[in-house]
Amino acid sequence: QVQLVESGGGLAQAGDSLRLSCAASGRPFSSYAVGWFRQAPGKEREFVAQINRSGGITSYADSVKGRFTISRDNAKNTVYLQMNSLKPGDTAVYYCAAGEYYGTYRYWGQGTQVTVSS
């Protein structure tokens, strides 16, 4: 299996940028599609973005299209979420998750907090 650790969260102001990282260990990361999800206080966990194993296919939630970019560097066993033009509504715990196939997610990290103030 694969173990995932998120990092890069923190406090930002509206309009700022943050880059989240999802570092993997265990099975080679190239074996997994990866998704980013987030959960705000009192809300259900929601999909943010995903990327296939090779990095050639991505998809995004409508709420983040044009602002967030998911990418991966399999040589570094890392997936990134570049978040630009942050809004207070982006405040949440962000999780990365991996699965053997695009759109399937079995393995989850512990999350990293992103807080965006107005």
Side-chain angles (χ1 to χ4, degrees):
Q1 64 172 352
V2 62
Q3 295 78 46
L4 307 173
V5 179
E6 303 94 334
S7 63
L11 179 64
Q13 296 187 22
D16 286 354
S17 297
L18 287 173
R19 188 180 73 165
L20 305 183
S21 297
C22 176
S25 62
R27 187 177 177 184
F29 208 24
S30 60
S31 297
Y32 298 94
V34 175
W36 284 97
F37 299 79
R38 66 187 184 187
Q39 188 167 23
K43 301 294 181 65
E44 298 289 334
R45 182 175 294 177
E46 66 175 343
F47 165 79
V48 175
Q50 61 186 341
I51 188 166
N52 75 331
R53 287 169 288 181
S54 66
I57 302 173
T58 60
S59 63
Y60 299 89
D62 288 342
S63 60
V64 306
K65 285 181 179 177
R67 299 189 298 120
F68 291 9
T69 302
I70 188 171
S71 62
R72 68 190 301 160
D73 186 341
N74 287 337
K76 296 181 178 179
N77 293 327
T78 303
V79 166
Y80 305 97
L81 184 68
Q82 178 67 45
M83 305 186 296
N84 297 328
S85 301
L86 284 165
K87 303 175 180 179
D90 296 321
T91 296
V93 176
Y94 284 71
Y95 301 88
C96 65
E100 285 82 0
Y101 301 97
Y102 188 74
T104 68
Y105 302 103
R106 298 176 56 193
Y107 310 103
W108 293 77
Q110 294 300 304
T112 184
Q113 176 71 48
V114 172
T115 302
V116 184
S117 61
S118 60

